[in-house]
PDB file of all heavy atoms in Angstrom:
ATOM      1  N   LEU Z 457     -86.097  31.689 187.715  1.00  0.00           N
ATOM      2  CA  LEU Z 457     -86.244  33.020 188.476  1.00  0.00           C
ATOM      3  C   LEU Z 457     -85.577  34.129 187.867  1.00  0.00           C
ATOM      4  O   LEU Z 457     -86.144  35.173 187.713  1.00  0.00           O
ATOM      5  CB  LEU Z 457     -85.814  32.791 189.942  1.00  0.00           C
ATOM      6  CG  LEU Z 457     -86.789  31.798 190.736  1.00  0.00           C
ATOM      7  CD1 LEU Z 457     -86.111  31.389 191.994  1.00  0.00           C
ATOM      8  CD2 LEU Z 457     -88.106  32.506 191.007  1.00  0.00           C
ATOM      9  N   ASN Z 458     -84.362  33.809 187.397  1.00  0.00           N
ATOM     10  CA  ASN Z 458     -83.590  34.857 186.730  1.00  0.00           C
ATOM     11  C   ASN Z 458     -84.226  35.420 185.451  1.00  0.00           C
ATOM     12  O   ASN Z 458     -84.260  36.508 185.209  1.00  0.00           O
ATOM     13  CB  ASN Z 458     -82.120  34.455 186.539  1.00  0.00           C
ATOM     14  CG  ASN Z 458     -81.281  34.371 187.785  1.00  0.00           C
ATOM     15  OD1 ASN Z 458     -81.519  35.271 188.654  1.00  0.00           O
ATOM     16  ND2 ASN Z 458     -80.375  33.551 187.941  1.00  0.00           N
ATOM     17  N   LYS Z 459     -84.835  34.388 184.762  1.00  0.00           N
ATOM     18  CA  LYS Z 459     -85.440  34.728 183.507  1.00  0.00           C
ATOM     19  C   LYS Z 459     -86.725  35.521 183.781  1.00  0.00           C
ATOM     20  O   LYS Z 459     -87.034  36.637 183.165  1.00  0.00           O
ATOM     21  CB  LYS Z 459     -85.763  33.429 182.705  1.00  0.00           C
ATOM     22  CG  LYS Z 459     -86.401  33.708 181.413  1.00  0.00           C
ATOM     23  CD  LYS Z 459     -86.638  32.345 180.691  1.00  0.00           C
ATOM     24  CE  LYS Z 459     -87.581  32.486 179.446  1.00  0.00           C
ATOM     25  NZ  LYS Z 459     -87.506  33.657 178.669  1.00  0.00           N
ATOM     26  N   LEU Z 460     -87.461  35.111 184.800  1.00  0.00           N
ATOM     27  CA  LEU Z 460     -88.665  35.927 185.194  1.00  0.00           C
ATOM     28  C   LEU Z 460     -88.353  37.344 185.626  1.00  0.00           C
ATOM     29  O   LEU Z 460     -88.948  38.325 185.381  1.00  0.00           O
ATOM     30  CB  LEU Z 460     -89.401  35.176 186.237  1.00  0.00           C
ATOM     31  CG  LEU Z 460     -90.164  33.869 185.903  1.00  0.00           C
ATOM     32  CD1 LEU Z 460     -90.544  33.178 187.140  1.00  0.00           C
ATOM     33  CD2 LEU Z 460     -91.368  34.244 185.115  1.00  0.00           C
ATOM     34  N   LYS Z 461     -87.190  37.461 186.385  1.00  0.00           N
ATOM     35  CA  LYS Z 461     -86.779  38.676 186.837  1.00  0.00           C
ATOM     36  C   LYS Z 461     -86.630  39.594 185.683  1.00  0.00           C
ATOM     37  O   LYS Z 461     -87.121  40.827 185.729  1.00  0.00           O
ATOM     38  CB  LYS Z 461     -85.557  38.525 187.699  1.00  0.00           C
ATOM     39  CG  LYS Z 461     -85.162  39.667 188.622  1.00  0.00           C
ATOM     40  CD  LYS Z 461     -84.021  39.385 189.391  1.00  0.00           C
ATOM     41  CE  LYS Z 461     -83.207  40.689 189.658  1.00  0.00           C
ATOM     42  NZ  LYS Z 461     -81.865  40.496 190.177  1.00  0.00           N
ATOM     43  N   THR Z 462     -85.887  39.110 184.629  1.00  0.00           N
ATOM     44  CA  THR Z 462     -85.623  39.988 183.465  1.00  0.00           C
ATOM     45  C   THR Z 462     -86.937  40.208 182.702  1.00  0.00           C
ATOM     46  O   THR Z 462     -87.256  41.347 182.301  1.00  0.00           O
ATOM     47  CB  THR Z 462     -84.603  39.355 182.567  1.00  0.00           C
ATOM     48  OG1 THR Z 462     -83.645  38.695 183.392  1.00  0.00           O
ATOM     49  CG2 THR Z 462     -83.924  40.337 181.636  1.00  0.00           C
ATOM     50  N   ASP Z 463     -87.436  39.124 182.391  1.00  0.00           N
ATOM     51  CA  ASP Z 463     -88.711  39.286 181.437  1.00  0.00           C
ATOM     52  C   ASP Z 463     -89.786  40.006 181.925  1.00  0.00           C
ATOM     53  O   ASP Z 463     -90.595  40.750 181.252  1.00  0.00           O
ATOM     54  CB  ASP Z 463     -89.136  37.854 181.076  1.00  0.00           C
ATOM     55  CG  ASP Z 463     -88.134  37.102 179.983  1.00  0.00           C
ATOM     56  OD1 ASP Z 463     -87.091  37.737 179.814  1.00  0.00           O
ATOM     57  OD2 ASP Z 463     -88.383  35.995 179.747  1.00  0.00           O
ATOM     58  N   LEU Z 464     -90.044  39.837 183.284  1.00  0.00           N
ATOM     59  CA  LEU Z 464     -91.221  40.573 183.884  1.00  0.00           C
ATOM     60  C   LEU Z 464     -90.806  41.775 184.526  1.00  0.00           C
ATOM     61  O   LEU Z 464     -91.676  42.530 185.010  1.00  0.00           O
ATOM     62  CB  LEU Z 464     -91.892  39.638 184.896  1.00  0.00           C
ATOM     63  CG  LEU Z 464     -92.345  38.297 184.317  1.00  0.00           C
ATOM     64  CD1 LEU Z 464     -92.987  37.458 185.533  1.00  0.00           C
ATOM     65  CD2 LEU Z 464     -93.560  38.467 183.235  1.00  0.00           C
ATOM     66  N   GLY Z 465     -89.459  42.011 184.736  1.00  0.00           N
ATOM     67  CA  GLY Z 465     -88.983  43.308 185.384  1.00  0.00           C
ATOM     68  C   GLY Z 465     -89.432  43.230 186.832  1.00  0.00           C
ATOM     69  O   GLY Z 465     -89.692  44.247 187.363  1.00  0.00           O
ATOM     70  N   LEU Z 466     -89.362  41.988 187.523  1.00  0.00           N
ATOM     71  CA  LEU Z 466     -89.840  42.000 188.887  1.00  0.00           C
ATOM     72  C   LEU Z 466     -88.699  41.575 189.799  1.00  0.00           C
ATOM     73  O   LEU Z 466     -88.214  40.498 189.787  1.00  0.00           O
ATOM     74  CB  LEU Z 466     -90.925  40.913 189.022  1.00  0.00           C
ATOM     75  CG  LEU Z 466     -92.275  41.109 188.423  1.00  0.00           C
ATOM     76  CD1 LEU Z 466     -93.215  39.940 188.677  1.00  0.00           C
ATOM     77  CD2 LEU Z 466     -93.011  42.379 188.936  1.00  0.00           C
ATOM     78  N   GLU Z 467     -88.257  42.567 190.593  1.00  0.00           N
ATOM     79  CA  GLU Z 467     -87.279  42.349 191.587  1.00  0.00           C
ATOM     80  C   GLU Z 467     -87.581  41.258 192.474  1.00  0.00           C
ATOM     81  O   GLU Z 467     -86.653  40.467 193.008  1.00  0.00           O
ATOM     82  CB  GLU Z 467     -86.976  43.582 192.443  1.00  0.00           C
ATOM     83  CG  GLU Z 467     -86.094  44.647 191.718  1.00  0.00           C
ATOM     84  CD  GLU Z 467     -84.865  44.128 191.150  1.00  0.00           C
ATOM     85  OE1 GLU Z 467     -84.121  43.533 191.902  1.00  0.00           O
ATOM     86  OE2 GLU Z 467     -84.601  44.315 190.005  1.00  0.00           O
ATOM     87  N   GLU Z 468     -88.790  40.964 192.904  1.00  0.00           N
ATOM     88  CA  GLU Z 468     -89.238  39.947 193.771  1.00  0.00           C
ATOM     89  C   GLU Z 468     -88.914  38.585 193.353  1.00  0.00           C
ATOM     90  O   GLU Z 468     -89.093  37.657 194.012  1.00  0.00           O
ATOM     91  CB  GLU Z 468     -90.749  40.104 194.161  1.00  0.00           C
ATOM     92  CG  GLU Z 468     -91.649  39.689 193.061  1.00  0.00           C
ATOM     93  CD  GLU Z 468     -92.946  40.548 192.995  1.00  0.00           C
ATOM     94  OE1 GLU Z 468     -92.800  41.774 193.095  1.00  0.00           O
ATOM     95  OE2 GLU Z 468     -93.978  39.898 192.946  1.00  0.00           O
ATOM     96  N   MET Z 469     -88.422  38.413 192.116  1.00  0.00           N
ATOM     97  CA  MET Z 469     -88.237  37.089 191.509  1.00  0.00           C
ATOM     98  C   MET Z 469     -86.690  36.729 191.799  1.00  0.00           C
ATOM     99  O   MET Z 469     -86.254  35.700 191.546  1.00  0.00           O
ATOM    100  CB  MET Z 469     -88.365  37.125 190.029  1.00  0.00           C
ATOM    101  CG  MET Z 469     -89.772  37.094 189.560  1.00  0.00           C
ATOM    102  SD  MET Z 469     -90.683  35.678 190.063  1.00  0.00           S
ATOM    103  CE  MET Z 469     -91.975  36.449 191.162  1.00  0.00           C
ATOM    104  N   GLU Z 470     -85.935  37.787 192.500  1.00  0.00           N
ATOM    105  CA  GLU Z 470     -84.519  37.380 192.800  1.00  0.00           C
ATOM    106  C   GLU Z 470     -84.557  36.151 193.598  1.00  0.00           C
ATOM    107  O   GLU Z 470     -85.150  35.956 194.644  1.00  0.00           O
ATOM    108  CB  GLU Z 470     -84.026  38.513 193.833  1.00  0.00           C
ATOM    109  CG  GLU Z 470     -82.700  38.339 194.278  1.00  0.00           C
ATOM    110  CD  GLU Z 470     -81.646  38.594 193.241  1.00  0.00           C
ATOM    111  OE1 GLU Z 470     -81.881  39.279 192.282  1.00  0.00           O
ATOM    112  OE2 GLU Z 470     -80.615  37.868 193.283  1.00  0.00           O
ATOM    113  N   PRO Z 471     -83.727  35.153 193.205  1.00  0.00           N
ATOM    114  CA  PRO Z 471     -83.610  33.848 193.815  1.00  0.00           C
ATOM    115  C   PRO Z 471     -83.156  34.028 195.288  1.00  0.00           C
ATOM    116  O   PRO Z 471     -82.229  34.766 195.594  1.00  0.00           O
ATOM    117  CB  PRO Z 471     -82.513  33.010 192.981  1.00  0.00           C
ATOM    118  CG  PRO Z 471     -82.426  33.728 191.664  1.00  0.00           C
ATOM    119  CD  PRO Z 471     -82.823  35.130 191.953  1.00  0.00           C
ATOM    120  N   GLN Z 472     -83.735  33.277 196.201  1.00  0.00           N
ATOM    121  CA  GLN Z 472     -83.451  33.237 197.555  1.00  0.00           C
ATOM    122  C   GLN Z 472     -81.997  32.744 197.789  1.00  0.00           C
ATOM    123  O   GLN Z 472     -81.609  31.886 197.121  1.00  0.00           O
ATOM    124  CB  GLN Z 472     -84.352  32.376 198.299  1.00  0.00           C
ATOM    125  CG  GLN Z 472     -85.716  33.021 198.587  1.00  0.00           C
ATOM    126  CD  GLN Z 472     -85.751  34.377 199.292  1.00  0.00           C
ATOM    127  OE1 GLN Z 472     -85.094  34.537 200.271  1.00  0.00           O
ATOM    128  NE2 GLN Z 472     -86.577  35.278 198.706  1.00  0.00           N
ATOM    129  N   PRO Z 473     -81.304  33.307 198.710  1.00  0.00           N
ATOM    130  CA  PRO Z 473     -79.915  32.919 198.985  1.00  0.00           C
ATOM    131  C   PRO Z 473     -79.840  31.433 199.079  1.00  0.00           C
ATOM    132  O   PRO Z 473     -78.903  30.726 198.723  1.00  0.00           O
ATOM    133  CB  PRO Z 473     -79.512  33.606 200.286  1.00  0.00           C
ATOM    134  CG  PRO Z 473     -80.400  34.769 200.315  1.00  0.00           C
ATOM    135  CD  PRO Z 473     -81.673  34.500 199.484  1.00  0.00           C
ATOM    136  N   LEU Z 474     -80.816  30.735 199.799  1.00  0.00           N
ATOM    137  CA  LEU Z 474     -80.740  29.273 199.992  1.00  0.00           C
ATOM    138  C   LEU Z 474     -80.668  28.630 198.759  1.00  0.00           C
ATOM    139  O   LEU Z 474     -79.846  27.626 198.606  1.00  0.00           O
ATOM    140  CB  LEU Z 474     -82.078  28.872 200.842  1.00  0.00           C
ATOM    141  CG  LEU Z 474     -82.284  27.441 201.048  1.00  0.00           C
ATOM    142  CD1 LEU Z 474     -81.139  26.836 201.882  1.00  0.00           C
ATOM    143  CD2 LEU Z 474     -83.587  27.076 201.617  1.00  0.00           C
ATOM    144  N   LEU Z 475     -81.452  28.998 197.718  1.00  0.00           N
ATOM    145  CA  LEU Z 475     -81.357  28.329 196.366  1.00  0.00           C
ATOM    146  C   LEU Z 475     -80.072  28.474 195.844  1.00  0.00           C
ATOM    147  O   LEU Z 475     -79.439  27.477 195.226  1.00  0.00           O
ATOM    148  CB  LEU Z 475     -82.531  28.905 195.507  1.00  0.00           C
ATOM    149  CG  LEU Z 475     -83.905  28.778 195.915  1.00  0.00           C
ATOM    150  CD1 LEU Z 475     -84.885  29.335 195.000  1.00  0.00           C
ATOM    151  CD2 LEU Z 475     -84.207  27.110 196.159  1.00  0.00           C
TER     152      LEU Z 475
END
Side-chain angles (χ1 to χ4, degrees):
L457 288 167
N458 285 326
K459 187 172 161 40
L460 288 168
K461 196 176 148 193
T462 324
D463 291 358
L464 303 176
L466 291 178
E467 281 304 314
E468 70 213 50
M469 291 296 122
E470 179 68 32
Q472 288 299 320
L474 174 62
L475 298 178

